[in-house]
């Protein structure tokens, strides 16, 4: 029971971490609060569903198609919809507010397209549903794979952003955008790259989620909401915070559901959220200024 | 150095540079030059328009139509800030413009981000550590936790990492203790020896003219005087205008 809950919690948490990393990159660097983030994830779920059930492509291979597609499509969305907002916003605060309104609209567009194409029912496919014996507990292999993938993608991203020059320029933009041009960084380009990267992460999360759970066209907002909580939990703009915050949220949810009452999952999440907002508004890894 | 053709006798040339903030005229038809490897100081009180001028050169703000900024035979008027560094002009701004949450090492690495500097990163880092040995000892320190003087060193070092032909410094001595200011100007004198051109905006008349070849006086948006550093040091007008700030 304990190991089972732990694994379930970590699997959910790994997904939350990926989802939150995408959101925090878009928010920290592009200054865009993307409320359509969860719907991008669901679109990726359906994409891997199609690739699996129509073309017989395993989700592992689907990653190689869906993730680049997430990057390219998000890049296009940035150029089409976000750039005019960036151009007219007098400051970062105005851009954040505008982006909330616009991505709120985008949310319904993506959701509408998915509803028309796939209907409102739960969808899913069976992949690698073989039992694995882990310390005496039986776990489905697809869950372990999902956790593994989430950790690999998350840790790789943290490593790339903290060690490479390219990653360093993105971090510099999130720390002090006004100073970035002094070292030759084009902040508009960095914003576009970060938005596209967030889209690629959403796509990754979507494929990973579709491997082990069912989904509907309308549950995107749940992912967005949880990502928001994790981002604030871990500290706005902090990738390490998003990774640890995501895992933590997954564990708390699962343990509350297993040991207290499944009905209290959301309540527990919000209690942590509220306590943190009151006690440490910058999050675990956030820094003021 | 190949990037500094000897036939260019004027490296930076400002002609009729005018800057407005809305209706407010901050810089009024300023014309000035800096030769390759030359050290030039612009002296002026608060609000004279010194910062605005440096911002226009480095592309952070746009000068009015009719202004011309030429650098090494290129028209760089209106070139965006992130491209200016690549052209060979590095700014150490008022307030230093550092990435406070990052380490000294990361700030310096970012300094070498422009394409012209990437291949030279190792040599530049050696030069910079040679100029500021303390930065070599503090590579892992978060910049925000350093003293004002140390942060100013990081800011200058970061600008030098971009392998500039011209270094712009906006009141580098501002807010520093006198002994730190002395140390800073000794470092600037050595930077000057490396052959890079320096355009320094200062209120510290004696120390800045002490390392300069030439100086301009700026008042209420206009250049009101010009001379060799030695002449300006003994000039009555300079003495009178800056008596309160002479160190
Ligand atoms: N962003 C701005 N908006 C409006 N006025 C400004 C702005 N920046 C500077 N000024 C005005 O322009 C003039 C020159 O300022 P500045 O270039 O900062 O001078 P200095 O660096 O010599 O102190 C001052 O009158 C200042 O109030
Ligand atoms: Mg100033």
């Amino acid at each position: 029971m304990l190991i089972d809950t732990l694994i379930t919690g970590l699997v959910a948490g790994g997904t939350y971490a990926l989802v939150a990393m995408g959101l925090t990159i878009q928010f920290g660097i592009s200054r865009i609060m993307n409320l359509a983030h969860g719907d991008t994830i669901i679109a990726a779920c359906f994409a891997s569903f199609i690739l699996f059930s129509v073309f017989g492509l395993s989700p592992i291979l689907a990653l190689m198609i869906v993730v680049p597609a997430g990057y390219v499509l998000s890049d296009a969305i940035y150029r089409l919809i976000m750039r005019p907002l960036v151009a007219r916003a007098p400051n970062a605060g105005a851009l954040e507010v505008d982006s909330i309104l616009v991505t709120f609209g985008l949310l319904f567009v993506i959701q509408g397209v998915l509803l028309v194409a796939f209907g409102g029912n739960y969808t899913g496919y069976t992949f690698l549903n073989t039992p694995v014996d882990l310390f005496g507990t039986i776990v489905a292999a697809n869950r372990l794979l999902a956790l593994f993938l989430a950790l690999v993608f998350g840790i790789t991203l943290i490593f790339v952003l903290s060690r490479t020059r390219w990653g360093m320029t993105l971090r510099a933009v999130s720390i002090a955008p006004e100073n970035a041009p002094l070292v030759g960084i084009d902040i508009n380009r960095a914003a576009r790259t970060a938005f596209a990267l967030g889209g690629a992460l959403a796509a990754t999360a979507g494929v990973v989620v579709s491997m082990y759970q069912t989904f509907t066209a309308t549950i995107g907002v749940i992912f967005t909401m949880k990502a928001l909580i994790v981002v604030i939990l871990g500290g706005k703009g902090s990738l390490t915070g998003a990774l640890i915050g995501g895992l933590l949220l997954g564990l708390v949810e699962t343990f509350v559901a297993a040991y207290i009452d499944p009905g209290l999952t959301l309540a527990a999440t919000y209690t942590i959220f509220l306590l943190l907002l009151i006690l440490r508004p910058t999050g675990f890894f956030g820094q003021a200024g | 150095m190949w990037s500094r053709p000897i036939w260019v006798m004027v490296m930076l040339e400002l002609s009729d540079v005018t800057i407005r903030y809305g209706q407010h005229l901050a810089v009024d038809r300023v014309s000035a030059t800096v030769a390759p490897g030359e050290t030039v100081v612009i002296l002026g009180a608060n609000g004279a328009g010194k910062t605005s001028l440096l911002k226009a050169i480095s592309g952070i703000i746009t000068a009015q139509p009719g202004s011309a900024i030429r650098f090494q035979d290129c028209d760089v008027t209106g070139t965006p800030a992130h491209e200016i560094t690549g052209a060979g002009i590095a700014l150490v701004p008022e307030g230093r413009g550092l990435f406070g949450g990052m380490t000294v090492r990361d700030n310096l690495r970012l300094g070498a981000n422009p394409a012209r500097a990437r291949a030279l990163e190792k040599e530049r880092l050696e030069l910079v550590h040679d100029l500021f040995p303390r930065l070599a000892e503090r590579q892992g320190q978060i910049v925000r936790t350093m003293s004002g003087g140390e942060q100013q060193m990081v800011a200058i070092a970061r600008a030098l990492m971009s392998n500039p032909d011209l270094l712009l410094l906006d009141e580098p001595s501002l807010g520093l203790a006198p002994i730190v200011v002395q140390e800073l100007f000794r470092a600037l004198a050595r930077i000057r020896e490396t052959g890079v051109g320096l355009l320094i905006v200062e209120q510290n008349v004696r120390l800045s003219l002490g390392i300069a070849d030439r100086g301009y006086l700026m008042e209420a948006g206009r250049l009101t005087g010009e001379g060799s550093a030695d002449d300006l040091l003994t000039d009555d007008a300079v003495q009178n205008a800056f008596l309160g700030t002479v160190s």
Side-chain angles (χ1 to χ4, degrees):
Chain A
M1 171 80 170
L2 179 72
I3 303 252
D4 186 40
T5 315
L6 194 69
I7 298 287
T8 310
L10 284 176
V11 170
T15 311
Y16 295 160
L18 269 188
V19 176
M21 285 170 110
L23 195 74
T24 211
I25 278 192
Q26 290 183 334
F27 186 61
I29 300 168
S30 322
R31 310 280 149 167
I32 285 168
M33 179 45 78
N34 184 5
L35 293 187
H37 193 62
D39 302 274
T40 316
I41 293 164
I42 301 305
C45 286
F46 279 106
S48 44
F49 166 71
I50 293 287
L51 288 173
F52 185 85
S53 51
V54 178
F55 299 96
L57 220 56
S58 106
I60 304 289
L61 292 173
L63 276 175
M64 288 178 217
I65 297 171
V66 179
V67 174
Y71 188 97
V72 171
L73 286 176
S74 296
D75 183 81
I77 288 176
Y78 186 86
R79 275 188 288 176
L80 216 65
I81 306 177
M82 303 305 167
R83 199 137 67 182
L85 298 186
V86 175
R88 73 157 197 236
N91 55 52
L95 179 58
E96 280 160 22
V97 173
D98 276 0
S99 69
I100 287 174
L101 297 175
V102 164
T103 56
F104 193 57
L106 188 62
L107 178 171
F108 290 106
V109 173
I110 299 177
Q111 202 179 86
V113 170
L114 292 178
L115 274 173
V116 168
F118 301 100
N121 294 329
Y122 273 92
T123 312
Y125 55 91
T126 313
F127 166 72
L128 214 64
N129 201 10
T130 41
V132 177
D133 189 332
L134 203 70
F135 313 111
T137 308
I138 304 299
V139 186
N142 55 23
R143 288 178 175 264
L144 290 181
L145 181 64
L147 174 60
F148 172 76
L149 287 174
L151 291 179
V152 166
F153 274 92
I155 291 168
T156 306
L157 187 72
I158 289 175
F159 187 81
V160 167
L161 284 193
S162 61
R163 292 298 150 84
T164 67
R165 185 199 300 284
W166 176 76
M168 216 179 272
T169 60
L170 290 184
R171 267 198 306 142
V173 174
S174 91
I175 290 177
E178 67 283 7
N179 297 336
L182 292 174
V183 293
I185 299 170
D186 179 349
I187 53 172
N188 290 322
R189 209 174 105 187
R192 192 177 132 193
T193 305
F195 191 81
L197 202 58
L201 275 168
T204 312
V207 177
V208 168
V209 164
S210 73
M211 288 183 348
Y212 70 92
Q213 82 174 49
T214 54
F215 42 87
T216 73
T218 50
I219 59 161
V221 63
I222 306 227
F223 283 100
T224 307
M225 195 181 71
K226 287 187 177 161
L228 265 171
I229 292 172
V230 172
V231 166
I232 292 170
L233 207 66
K236 276 173 266 179
S238 165
L239 283 177
T240 314
L243 183 68
I244 294 172
L247 290 172
L248 209 67
L249 179 67
L251 287 171
V252 168
E253 274 189 6
T254 321
F255 272 89
V256 167
Y259 289 92
I260 304 175
D261 189 308
L264 286 179
T265 323
L266 263 184
T269 306
Y270 275 107
T271 308
I272 301 176
F273 184 58
L274 281 178
L275 281 178
L276 203 82
L277 271 185
I278 294 163
L279 300 176
R280 193 167 156 71
T282 51
F284 292 132
F285 290 85
Q287 34 190 258
Chain B
M1 241 177 262
W2 65 271
S3 59
R4 193 179 298 140
I6 49 163
W7 64 85
V8 183
M9 290 317 288
V10 173
M11 176 167 58
L12 177 74
E13 182 178 14
L14 310 176
S15 333
D16 287 332
V17 173
T18 300
I19 298 162
R20 284 179 182 279
Y21 298 102
Q23 283 301 305
H24 181 69
L25 183 63
V27 172
D28 186 10
R29 285 166 294 151
V30 161
S31 298
T33 60
V34 179
E38 194 182 27
T39 298
V40 175
V41 175
I42 299 177
L43 299 166
N46 272 337
K50 308 180 298 294
T51 295
S52 303
L53 195 59
L54 292 191
K55 279 186 176 170
I57 298 170
S58 36
I60 296 170
I61 57 175
T62 318
Q64 291 296 116
S67 312
I69 304 170
R70 296 185 66 78
F71 182 69
Q72 289 177 334
D73 271 357
C74 292
D75 185 358
V76 295
T77 327
T79 303
H82 66 267
E83 287 173 19
I84 285 288
T85 330
I89 300 178
L91 170 70
V92 180
E94 225 172 26
R96 305 182 187 112
L98 291 165
F99 303 104
M102 293 170 105
T103 60
V104 171
R105 187 187 297 111
D106 286 0
N107 270 274
L108 296 186
R109 250 189 107 184
L110 279 168
N113 179 52
R116 68 177 357 244
R118 286 189 191 175
L120 299 171
E121 182 171 342
K122 242 183 112 215
E123 292 99 278
R124 299 304 294 182
L125 195 62
E126 273 169 26
L127 170 88
V128 153
H129 282 165
D130 195 44
L131 283 165
F132 302 108
R134 206 175 312 166
L135 298 189
E137 298 158 17
R138 304 282 190 87
Q139 292 188 51
Q141 188 166 354
I142 299 291
V143 163
R144 195 195 307 110
T145 66
M146 301 178 104
S147 73
E150 287 161 354
Q151 289 192 25
Q152 191 60 266
M153 287 180 199
V154 179
I156 295 171
R158 189 186 68 184
L160 285 173
M161 288 301 292
S162 72
N163 185 29
D165 294 324
L166 176 64
L167 190 59
L168 309 176
L169 295 134
D170 195 348
E171 301 207 40
S173 72
L174 195 71
L176 302 182
I179 185 157
V180 182
V181 174
Q182 301 259 350
E183 191 187 348
L184 174 77
F185 275 95
R186 273 199 297 277
L188 289 179
R190 274 184 294 137
I191 289 169
R192 185 201 140 114
E193 297 309 312
T194 66
V196 63
L198 295 175
L199 179 57
I200 309 175
V201 152
E202 258 299 341
Q203 299 200 35
N204 190 320
V205 176
R206 204 158 285 168
L207 280 175
S208 59
L209 284 176
I211 62 163
D213 299 301
R214 276 189 312 125
Y216 293 97
L217 305 181
M218 192 165 186
E219 276 173 62
R222 293 177 176 218
L223 292 188
T224 54
E226 182 195 349
S228 74
D230 293 341
D231 288 349
L232 288 176
L233 266 173
T234 53
D235 188 297
D236 282 345
V238 177
Q239 296 295 326
N240 292 338
F242 293 101
L243 211 58
T245 52
V246 170
S247 70

